[in-house]
């Protein structure tokens, strides 16, 4: 019986052409981030389970893959199942984002880092998602973070670098939505949401694009955040349909609007020319660690964000005992890589040398070295009967030219390059 050889659900293999596309995009992202003064770091794929479940990751903590302790017995499994405490069997877990590991990294290496540390992390993360279009159990995140700067300059640097990266990728038509947790706190306060239920209420509001105004309103009543007779649905409808924009003033300002936070958002927009930036009072970002400004990348053709981030001044203090200001922005790599087209000018010449069986290996390797030295990518292929099938295959692999090599070919100057895919 044939075995199932597909990858685990929600995880993928990448053929050479797709891998090349991904690496090209990642290279562009890295180069722009580095040009804006960020330095790349690397953290382990696993962290202590207690750290991943410290109440910082919102609903994503529930999606963390746990790594079982060594020496667990069947009796241990049965006891954990009976008690409902499966996490007691795990001491490690796969990271579900790159922000919690960064906070731990900074706490570990603070003495060796500059007072204001600008980091790049580009790496896979894992979540036990229900696989669907655009959602995977293993996916790459592209994060930039600034630690140690409490001023709006941190947000400005992140926004500027992100806008430049989207431009370099050729991704046009994006809008950056802005909000602030202080503004959200004002909205919840105006609805009478108890302090103890505010984080849970924000998680519910974050579902607005999935379950709509009626669904959010009903869930807020269900969790006890608001009373059944509260006019939350009407208020939400007003928030979602109002022509919100970042202007010099909202006249008259709503009672819930934190004017200081709003003024800071206005200043951010004015300082990032060429970007489309809008204020959205319903923007939440579901992670529980955000403390101030939050932002998200939207595109009119897609019903989901292409990236996001915000300020999380309280997280690192969990590890150090004193708070350190921090802010980050992440590009949703998996959601944008399929939208990108690699322009021919950005790729090296890719040449296939199709050779007869009697061409000496030494000559083939000499020809290959000569072309590689000139900047080309080169592959050797032996001539086969079905020549058209060979050309179709190498074209699909990203090669754009071929040349025939015979026993009489002495050097690269005698090669006649012919275009593929024309």
């Amino acid at each position: 019986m044939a075995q199932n050889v597909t990858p685990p659900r929600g995880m993928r293999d990448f053929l050479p052409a797709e891998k090349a596309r991904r690496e090209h995009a990642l290279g562009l992202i890295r180069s722009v981030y580095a040009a804006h003064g960020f330095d790349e770091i690397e953290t382990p794929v696993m962290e202590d389970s207690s750290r991943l479940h410290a109440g910082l990751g919102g609903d994503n903590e529930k999606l963390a893959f746990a790594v079982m302790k060594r020496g667990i017995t069947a009796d241990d499994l049965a006891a954990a199942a009976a008690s409902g405490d499966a996490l007691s069997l795990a001491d490690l877990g796969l990271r579900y984002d790159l922000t919690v590991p960064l906070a731990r990294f900074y706490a570990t290496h603070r003495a060796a880092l500059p007072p204001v540390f600008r980091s790049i992390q580009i790496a896979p993360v894992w979540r036990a998602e229900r696989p669907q279009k655009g959602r995977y159990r293993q996916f790459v995140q592209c994060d930039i973070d600034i630690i140690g700067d409490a001023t709006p300059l941190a947000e400005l640097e992140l926004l500027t670098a992100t806008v430049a990266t989207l431009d370099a990728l050729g991704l046009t038509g994006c809008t950056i939505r802005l909000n602030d947790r202080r503004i959200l706190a004002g909205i919840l306060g105006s609805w009478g949401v108890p302090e103890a239920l505010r984080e849970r209420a924000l998680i519910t509001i974050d579902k607005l694009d999935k379950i709509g105004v009626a669904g959010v309103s009903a869930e807020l009543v269900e969790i006890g955040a608001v009373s059944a007779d509260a006019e939350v649905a009407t208020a939400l409808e007003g928030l979602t349909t109002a022509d919100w924009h970042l202007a010099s003033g909202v006249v008259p300002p709503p009672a819930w609007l934190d004017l200081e936070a709003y003024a800071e958002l206005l200043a951010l927009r004015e300082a990032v020319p060429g970007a489309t930036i809008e204020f959205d009072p319903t923007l939440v970002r579901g992670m529980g660690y955000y403390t101030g400004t939050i932002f998200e990348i939207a595109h009119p053709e897609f019903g989901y964000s292409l990236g996001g981030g915000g300020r999380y001044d309280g997280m690192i203090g969990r590890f150090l005992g004193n708070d350190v200001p921090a802010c980050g922005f992440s590009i949703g790599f998996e959601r944008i890589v399929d939208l990108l087209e690699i322009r021919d000018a950005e790729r090296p010449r890719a040449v296939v040398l199709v050779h007869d069986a009697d061409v000496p290996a030494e000559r083939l390797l000499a020809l290959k070295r000569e072309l590689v030295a000139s900047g080309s990518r080169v592959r050797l292929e032996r001539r086969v009967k079905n020549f058209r099938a060979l050309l179709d295959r190498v074209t699909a692999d990203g090669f754009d030219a071929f040349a025939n090599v015979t026993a009489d070919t002495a050097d690269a100057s005698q090669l006649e390059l012919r275009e593929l895919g024309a």
Side-chain angles (χ1 to χ4, degrees):
M1 179 181 295
Q3 294 184 347
N4 181 0
V5 293
T6 59
R9 292 185 66 236
M11 300 181 183
R12 298 163 292 166
D13 295 324
F14 296 107
L15 292 171
E18 181 60 18
K19 179 64 174 174
R21 170 192 290 274
R22 292 171 65 86
E23 290 302 320
H24 175 79
L26 290 171
L28 281 176
I29 294 169
R30 279 190 169 94
S31 65
V32 176
Y33 284 171
H36 281 259
F38 293 82
D39 294 312
E40 189 162 5
I41 65 169
E42 183 174 329
T43 58
V45 302
M46 292 188 290
E47 295 284 348
D48 287 343
S49 181
S50 60
R51 187 172 300 128
L52 295 174
H53 295 274
L56 299 171
D59 278 355
N60 286 328
E61 291 191 4
K62 302 174 185 176
L63 302 176
F65 282 101
V67 178
M68 198 177 301
K69 299 175 184 176
R70 296 182 63 184
I72 295 296
T73 66
D75 289 341
D76 295 328
L77 290 172
S83 66
D85 185 18
L87 282 178
S88 64
L89 302 178
D91 54 357
L92 299 171
L94 293 176
R95 62 192 178 202
Y96 53 75
D97 76 355
L98 297 175
T99 307
V100 174
L102 173 64
R104 195 271 312 151
F105 172 93
Y106 182 83
T108 302
H109 302 284
R110 185 180 188 182
L113 299 173
V116 176
F117 178 52
R118 296 167 177 85
S119 78
I120 303 169
Q121 282 190 100
I122 298 178
V125 300
W126 292 264
R127 295 178 191 170
E129 296 270 15
R130 179 174 297 165
Q132 54 187 292
K133 182 177 176 58
R135 285 191 177 273
Y136 305 100
R137 289 179 171 176
Q138 177 179 320
F139 54 96
V140 171
Q141 287 190 334
C142 302
D143 286 16
I144 46 175
D145 294 82
I146 298 178
I147 301 176
D149 188 350
T151 74
L153 180 59
E155 282 91 336
L156 285 173
E157 286 200 69
L158 293 169
L159 288 168
T160 301
T162 299
V163 169
T165 301
L166 296 175
D167 288 343
L169 292 170
L171 195 58
T172 60
C174 292
T175 297
I176 296 180
R177 301 160 62 207
L178 288 180
N179 199 9
D180 194 291
R181 280 297 180 105
R182 291 170 290 176
I183 291 174
L184 287 166
I187 293 173
L188 296 181
S190 71
W191 294 348
V193 178
E195 190 71 35
L197 291 174
R198 290 195 176 184
E199 281 301 322
R200 182 66 186 85
L202 289 177
I203 292 173
T204 297
I205 296 172
D206 198 36
K207 302 176 184 177
L208 191 59
D209 61 335
K210 301 181 180 67
I211 63 177
V213 168
V216 168
S217 179
E219 187 169 313
L220 288 173
V221 172
E222 180 182 342
I223 66 174
V226 298
S227 62
D229 58 354
E231 296 183 357
V232 172
T234 302
L236 267 174
E237 194 69 44
L239 292 176
T240 58
T241 59
D243 184 19
W244 292 107
H245 56 284
L246 285 172
S248 57
V250 178
V251 182
W256 48 260
L257 183 61
D258 185 308
L259 295 179
E260 181 182 355
Y262 186 79
E264 290 177 7
L265 297 183
L266 171 64
L268 289 178
R269 188 197 67 171
E270 296 301 325
V272 188
T276 303
I277 298 178
E278 296 179 353
F279 170 53
D280 182 352
T282 66
L283 176 64
V284 173
R285 301 292 300 166
M287 306 302 276
Y289 46 65
Y290 290 123
T291 57
T293 314
I294 49 177
F295 20 76
E296 205 165 79
I297 304 170
H299 194 284
E301 295 182 16
F302 308 98
Y304 46 77
S305 72
L306 300 181
R311 181 165 284 280
Y312 53 98
D313 288 346
M315 181 187 289
I316 297 173
R318 297 282 192 98
F319 305 120
L320 282 178
N322 59 287
D323 285 345
V324 178
C327 196
F329 207 140
S330 178
I331 288 179
F333 179 73
E334 306 297 346
R335 291 181 168 180
I336 69 170
V337 67
D338 292 336
L339 309 178
L340 307 178
E341 292 185 6
I342 301 176
R343 294 182 287 274
D344 289 339
E346 297 172 338
R347 297 186 300 188
R349 182 77 159 169
V351 178
V352 175
L353 298 181
V354 182
H355 60 91
D356 296 330
D358 59 348
V359 180
E362 294 82 359
R363 187 173 305 167
L364 290 173
L365 292 176
L367 290 169
K368 185 176 183 178
R369 282 194 299 270
E370 192 173 348
L371 291 175
V372 168
S374 70
S376 295
R377 177 186 178 215
V378 185
R379 175 183 292 177
L380 301 175
E381 292 278 358
R382 179 173 292 186
R383 185 179 303 279
V384 294
K385 287 185 178 180
N386 192 342
F387 189 55
R388 172 48 54 189
L390 169 62
L391 297 184
D392 289 344
R393 174 168 57 81
V394 296
T395 301
D397 287 345
F399 287 85
D400 44 40
F402 77 97
N404 290 308
V405 181
T406 68
D408 297 328
T409 306
D411 56 47
S413 65
Q414 296 181 350
L415 296 174
E416 181 183 352
L417 293 180
R418 302 181 185 179
E419 298 297 321
L420 286 167

PDB file of all heavy atoms in Angstrom, residues 344-360:
ATOM      1  N   ASP A 344      12.422  40.779 -14.968  1.00  0.00           N
ATOM      2  CA  ASP A 344      13.589  40.141 -15.578  1.00  0.00           C
ATOM      3  C   ASP A 344      14.873  40.879 -15.244  1.00  0.00           C
ATOM      4  O   ASP A 344      15.928  40.274 -15.054  1.00  0.00           O
ATOM      5  CB  ASP A 344      13.411  40.074 -17.095  1.00  0.00           C
ATOM      6  CG  ASP A 344      12.339  39.064 -17.495  1.00  0.00           C
ATOM      7  OD1 ASP A 344      12.039  38.174 -16.684  1.00  0.00           O
ATOM      8  OD2 ASP A 344      11.812  39.171 -18.619  1.00  0.00           O
ATOM      9  N   ALA A 345      14.791  42.217 -15.146  1.00  0.00           N
ATOM     10  CA  ALA A 345      15.999  42.988 -14.883  1.00  0.00           C
ATOM     11  C   ALA A 345      16.572  42.691 -13.498  1.00  0.00           C
ATOM     12  O   ALA A 345      17.732  42.967 -13.232  1.00  0.00           O
ATOM     13  CB  ALA A 345      15.693  44.484 -15.007  1.00  0.00           C
ATOM     14  N   GLU A 346      15.752  42.123 -12.616  1.00  0.00           N
ATOM     15  CA  GLU A 346      16.193  41.858 -11.255  1.00  0.00           C
ATOM     16  C   GLU A 346      16.797  40.467 -11.107  1.00  0.00           C
ATOM     17  O   GLU A 346      17.296  40.124 -10.045  1.00  0.00           O
ATOM     18  CB  GLU A 346      15.014  42.011 -10.290  1.00  0.00           C
ATOM     19  CG  GLU A 346      14.446  43.426 -10.261  1.00  0.00           C
ATOM     20  CD  GLU A 346      13.177  43.507  -9.452  1.00  0.00           C
ATOM     21  OE1 GLU A 346      12.522  42.453  -9.277  1.00  0.00           O
ATOM     22  OE2 GLU A 346      12.831  44.598  -8.998  1.00  0.00           O
ATOM     23  N   ARG A 347      16.726  39.649 -12.176  1.00  0.00           N
ATOM     24  CA  ARG A 347      17.231  38.282 -12.072  1.00  0.00           C
ATOM     25  C   ARG A 347      18.506  38.134 -12.893  1.00  0.00           C
ATOM     26  O   ARG A 347      18.651  38.730 -13.952  1.00  0.00           O
ATOM     27  CB  ARG A 347      16.181  37.297 -12.607  1.00  0.00           C
ATOM     28  CG  ARG A 347      14.900  37.288 -11.828  1.00  0.00           C
ATOM     29  CD  ARG A 347      13.977  36.191 -12.309  1.00  0.00           C
ATOM     30  NE  ARG A 347      13.610  36.333 -13.711  1.00  0.00           N
ATOM     31  CZ  ARG A 347      12.683  35.586 -14.313  1.00  0.00           C
ATOM     32  NH1 ARG A 347      12.053  34.664 -13.630  1.00  0.00           N
ATOM     33  NH2 ARG A 347      12.401  35.762 -15.587  1.00  0.00           N
ATOM     34  N   PRO A 348      19.435  37.305 -12.442  1.00  0.00           N
ATOM     35  CA  PRO A 348      20.612  37.040 -13.277  1.00  0.00           C
ATOM     36  C   PRO A 348      20.212  36.217 -14.497  1.00  0.00           C
ATOM     37  O   PRO A 348      19.200  35.509 -14.492  1.00  0.00           O
ATOM     38  CB  PRO A 348      21.517  36.235 -12.334  1.00  0.00           C
ATOM     39  CG  PRO A 348      20.582  35.590 -11.367  1.00  0.00           C
ATOM     40  CD  PRO A 348      19.460  36.574 -11.168  1.00  0.00           C
ATOM     41  N   ARG A 349      21.004  36.324 -15.548  1.00  0.00           N
ATOM     42  CA  ARG A 349      20.781  35.510 -16.738  1.00  0.00           C
ATOM     43  C   ARG A 349      20.867  34.048 -16.343  1.00  0.00           C
ATOM     44  O   ARG A 349      21.810  33.627 -15.658  1.00  0.00           O
ATOM     45  CB  ARG A 349      21.852  35.841 -17.765  1.00  0.00           C
ATOM     46  CG  ARG A 349      21.738  35.124 -19.089  1.00  0.00           C
ATOM     47  CD  ARG A 349      20.675  35.740 -19.934  1.00  0.00           C
ATOM     48  NE  ARG A 349      20.860  35.426 -21.346  1.00  0.00           N
ATOM     49  CZ  ARG A 349      19.941  35.666 -22.261  1.00  0.00           C
ATOM     50  NH1 ARG A 349      18.796  36.226 -21.912  1.00  0.00           N
ATOM     51  NH2 ARG A 349      20.144  35.377 -23.521  1.00  0.00           N
ATOM     52  N   ALA A 350      19.878  33.244 -16.745  1.00  0.00           N
ATOM     53  CA  ALA A 350      19.848  31.823 -16.390  1.00  0.00           C
ATOM     54  C   ALA A 350      19.945  31.007 -17.672  1.00  0.00           C
ATOM     55  O   ALA A 350      19.038  31.049 -18.510  1.00  0.00           O
ATOM     56  CB  ALA A 350      18.568  31.485 -15.630  1.00  0.00           C
ATOM     57  N   VAL A 351      21.038  30.276 -17.812  1.00  0.00           N
ATOM     58  CA  VAL A 351      21.357  29.602 -19.070  1.00  0.00           C
ATOM     59  C   VAL A 351      21.470  28.095 -18.852  1.00  0.00           C
ATOM     60  O   VAL A 351      22.072  27.645 -17.870  1.00  0.00           O
ATOM     61  CB  VAL A 351      22.698  30.132 -19.643  1.00  0.00           C
ATOM     62  CG1 VAL A 351      23.059  29.400 -20.938  1.00  0.00           C
ATOM     63  CG2 VAL A 351      22.611  31.636 -19.877  1.00  0.00           C
ATOM     64  N   VAL A 352      20.892  27.326 -19.782  1.00  0.00           N
ATOM     65  CA  VAL A 352      21.035  25.877 -19.791  1.00  0.00           C
ATOM     66  C   VAL A 352      21.984  25.495 -20.919  1.00  0.00           C
ATOM     67  O   VAL A 352      21.777  25.903 -22.076  1.00  0.00           O
ATOM     68  CB  VAL A 352      19.681  25.175 -19.982  1.00  0.00           C
ATOM     69  CG1 VAL A 352      19.880  23.663 -20.109  1.00  0.00           C
ATOM     70  CG2 VAL A 352      18.755  25.487 -18.823  1.00  0.00           C
ATOM     71  N   LEU A 353      23.019  24.750 -20.591  1.00  0.00           N
ATOM     72  CA  LEU A 353      23.929  24.217 -21.606  1.00  0.00           C
ATOM     73  C   LEU A 353      23.518  22.787 -21.908  1.00  0.00           C
ATOM     74  O   LEU A 353      23.673  21.890 -21.072  1.00  0.00           O
ATOM     75  CB  LEU A 353      25.377  24.271 -21.105  1.00  0.00           C
ATOM     76  CG  LEU A 353      25.936  25.665 -20.795  1.00  0.00           C
ATOM     77  CD1 LEU A 353      27.393  25.563 -20.337  1.00  0.00           C
ATOM     78  CD2 LEU A 353      25.827  26.579 -22.008  1.00  0.00           C
ATOM     79  N   VAL A 354      22.956  22.589 -23.098  1.00  0.00           N
ATOM     80  CA  VAL A 354      22.499  21.263 -23.526  1.00  0.00           C
ATOM     81  C   VAL A 354      23.646  20.602 -24.298  1.00  0.00           C
ATOM     82  O   VAL A 354      24.064  21.098 -25.351  1.00  0.00           O
ATOM     83  CB  VAL A 354      21.239  21.366 -24.406  1.00  0.00           C
ATOM     84  CG1 VAL A 354      20.757  19.969 -24.792  1.00  0.00           C
ATOM     85  CG2 VAL A 354      20.142  22.148 -23.685  1.00  0.00           C
ATOM     86  N   HIS A 355      24.155  19.514 -23.737  1.00  0.00           N
ATOM     87  CA  HIS A 355      25.385  18.950 -24.304  1.00  0.00           C
ATOM     88  C   HIS A 355      25.165  17.533 -24.812  1.00  0.00           C
ATOM     89  O   HIS A 355      24.313  16.784 -24.324  1.00  0.00           O
ATOM     90  CB  HIS A 355      26.506  18.964 -23.268  1.00  0.00           C
ATOM     91  CG  HIS A 355      26.193  18.160 -22.039  1.00  0.00           C
ATOM     92  ND1 HIS A 355      26.515  16.821 -21.914  1.00  0.00           N
ATOM     93  CD2 HIS A 355      25.581  18.517 -20.873  1.00  0.00           C
ATOM     94  CE1 HIS A 355      26.121  16.388 -20.727  1.00  0.00           C
ATOM     95  NE2 HIS A 355      25.557  17.390 -20.073  1.00  0.00           N
ATOM     96  N   ASP A 356      25.973  17.182 -25.806  1.00  0.00           N
ATOM     97  CA  ASP A 356      25.994  15.807 -26.307  1.00  0.00           C
ATOM     98  C   ASP A 356      26.773  14.935 -25.333  1.00  0.00           C
ATOM     99  O   ASP A 356      27.569  15.419 -24.516  1.00  0.00           O
ATOM    100  CB  ASP A 356      26.653  15.757 -27.695  1.00  0.00           C
ATOM    101  CG  ASP A 356      25.852  16.525 -28.740  1.00  0.00           C
ATOM    102  OD1 ASP A 356      24.613  16.587 -28.588  1.00  0.00           O
ATOM    103  OD2 ASP A 356      26.466  17.074 -29.674  1.00  0.00           O
ATOM    104  N   ALA A 357      26.551  13.625 -25.441  1.00  0.00           N
ATOM    105  CA  ALA A 357      27.185  12.697 -24.512  1.00  0.00           C
ATOM    106  C   ALA A 357      28.695  12.644 -24.678  1.00  0.00           C
ATOM    107  O   ALA A 357      29.412  12.270 -23.740  1.00  0.00           O
ATOM    108  CB  ALA A 357      26.594  11.301 -24.705  1.00  0.00           C
ATOM    109  N   ASP A 358      29.203  13.026 -25.866  1.00  0.00           N
ATOM    110  CA  ASP A 358      30.647  12.888 -26.096  1.00  0.00           C
ATOM    111  C   ASP A 358      31.447  14.139 -25.732  1.00  0.00           C
ATOM    112  O   ASP A 358      32.662  14.189 -25.973  1.00  0.00           O
ATOM    113  CB  ASP A 358      30.908  12.523 -27.569  1.00  0.00           C
ATOM    114  CG  ASP A 358      30.366  13.578 -28.530  1.00  0.00           C
ATOM    115  OD1 ASP A 358      29.602  14.466 -28.064  1.00  0.00           O
ATOM    116  OD2 ASP A 358      30.680  13.514 -29.732  1.00  0.00           O
ATOM    117  N   VAL A 359      30.798  15.151 -25.150  1.00  0.00           N
ATOM    118  CA  VAL A 359      31.536  16.350 -24.742  1.00  0.00           C
ATOM    119  C   VAL A 359      32.254  16.057 -23.428  1.00  0.00           C
ATOM    120  O   VAL A 359      31.612  15.639 -22.453  1.00  0.00           O
ATOM    121  CB  VAL A 359      30.597  17.565 -24.569  1.00  0.00           C
ATOM    122  CG1 VAL A 359      31.396  18.797 -24.145  1.00  0.00           C
ATOM    123  CG2 VAL A 359      29.831  17.837 -25.851  1.00  0.00           C
ATOM    124  N   PRO A 360      33.569  16.245 -23.356  1.00  0.00           N
ATOM    125  CA  PRO A 360      34.308  15.932 -22.121  1.00  0.00           C
ATOM    126  C   PRO A 360      33.807  16.763 -20.933  1.00  0.00           C
ATOM    127  O   PRO A 360      33.462  17.938 -21.067  1.00  0.00           O
ATOM    128  CB  PRO A 360      35.754  16.306 -22.467  1.00  0.00           C
ATOM    129  CG  PRO A 360      35.819  16.273 -23.955  1.00  0.00           C
ATOM    130  CD  PRO A 360      34.470  16.689 -24.438  1.00  0.00           C
TER     131      PRO A 360
END
